[in-house]
Amino acid sequence: MSIGSKQGAMKSIPREVRFDQGRHHRAKIGYVLLATEQTVQDDMMRLRPEGVGMHFARAAIPDSITNATLAAQADLLAESAASLLPDGSLDVVCYACTSGSLVIGEDRVFAELGKGAPGARTTSLITGVIRALKALDARSIVIATPYLDEINAREAVYLEAAGFEVLAIEGLNLERDSDMVRVAPDYIAEFALSLDRPGADAIFVSCGALRTLDVVREMEERAGKPVVASNQAMAWDTLRLAGIADPIEGYGQLLSHCWAKA
């Protein structure tokens, strides 16, 4: 059979295709991660309600988390966001880095994400944290981080400007993201609880690389107060923005109770 004959035999017959709503019929959420990130994607998929799509892109960064390397992410956010569902069906897009979003600043993050995904609602991890703390009526907080002190200083100023009293903030002085992802969850709990103060309304464990989601419920039980973890707050914030209000049990008060409309 000649090539022409084969092509004629392989021609598709016109059909009326039957479509449904697809797997992600309730909402589609996009996250721009650091290239070094190893925790956020697993945590978001663990918290994903049925019918919600969670999609991920990465922005280049060396395995060094400093004010300078985080600031350089600003110029990469639009292109990264644009790679997420370019059909325009994305409902929400989030920059999934706590320290990066406060170093760059929320306004710049929103602007860059909006360039890449103009049809999606924009947010950032630090935005989700601020909204979460306010939803829990937390005004005075203590903060545990894995960061260098140069980042901790920026974070304290940023959250104080957002209206919180920072009673204590302490980091583990880790620079490499590849070290942050290996901090044992039981040590995260021990470290964060050691910073608690009687006057603190909540404990905030900052950084999406930390596996705080594994111990957040235990920490709340031991502290007798709300605990906000970066990835927990980001999931809550992005789901609310997408119109999803399914209570999620086992990961702290925020995800089980605080679902007022965004």
Side-chain angles (χ1 to χ4, degrees):
M1 184 180 292
S2 68
I3 293 176
S5 298
K6 287 181 179 180
Q7 288 176 338
M10 294 169 60
K11 186 176 180 181
S12 298
I13 299 172
R15 300 175 185 274
E16 185 173 340
V17 180
R18 184 172 64 254
F19 294 100
D20 62 18
Q21 294 178 302
R23 282 188 176 170
H24 305 154
H25 59 278
R26 297 180 68 196
K28 298 176 183 179
I29 304 172
Y31 301 92
V32 176
L33 280 56
L34 304 186
T36 53
E37 175 50 48
Q38 300 179 51
T39 307
V40 168
Q41 189 164 340
D42 286 347
D43 282 358
M44 294 303 100
M45 295 306 291
R46 188 194 304 191
L47 299 174
R48 182 183 72 88
E50 187 68 26
V52 176
M54 294 185 169
H55 308 273
F56 304 91
R58 291 175 180 264
I61 192 172
D63 190 17
S64 172
I65 307 302
T66 68
N67 284 334
T69 60
L70 293 168
Q73 288 259 292
D75 294 332
L76 307 176
L77 298 183
E79 183 177 359
S80 297
S83 72
L84 291 159
L85 301 188
D87 65 338
S89 63
L90 202 64
D91 296 297
V92 176
V93 61
C94 177
Y95 178 40
C97 180
T98 321
S99 52
S101 49
L102 68 90
V103 168
I104 296 168
E106 292 165 274
D107 290 344
R108 176 77 188 279
V109 168
F110 298 164
E112 295 301 321
L113 293 178
K115 291 176 187 176
R121 299 183 72 176
T122 56
T123 189
S124 75
L125 210 162
I126 197 62
T127 309
V129 167
I130 290 169
R131 290 171 176 162
L133 289 168
K134 290 181 177 179
L136 292 164
D137 294 323
R139 294 294 176 265
S140 297
I141 59 174
V142 295
I143 308 170
T145 90
Y147 311 136
L148 303 176
D149 284 341
E150 66 176 57
I151 298 174
N152 292 331
R154 294 280 289 268
E155 182 156 9
V157 170
Y158 201 93
L159 289 176
E160 286 171 349
F164 301 100
E165 180 184 12
V166 177
L167 301 179
I169 182 168
E170 188 174 328
L172 298 175
N173 285 309
L174 300 178
E175 180 178 340
R176 299 196 311 170
D177 214 17
S178 57
D179 288 333
M180 296 179 193
V181 303
R182 296 187 303 110
V183 179
D186 61 340
Y187 181 81
I188 296 169
E190 176 186 329
F191 169 54
L193 290 170
S194 75
L195 302 181
D196 193 17
R197 302 286 188 274
D201 300 318
I203 299 169
F204 169 39
V205 185
S206 180
C207 188
L210 294 180
R211 289 172 286 161
T212 315
L213 198 67
D214 295 356
V215 290
V216 65
R217 180 171 64 176
E218 172 197 339
M219 291 173 62
E220 285 196 339
E221 291 172 351
R222 291 172 61 183
K225 64 183 64 175
V227 174
V228 171
S230 284
N231 293 345
Q232 168 218 44
M234 179 167 60
W236 172 84
D237 180 48
T238 52
L239 287 169
R240 285 197 327 140
L241 289 174
I244 306 298
D246 300 11
I248 301 171
E249 300 295 336
Y251 300 100
Q253 299 177 41
L254 180 70
L255 287 172
S256 62
H257 298 307
C258 297
W259 290 102
K261 186 176 180 181

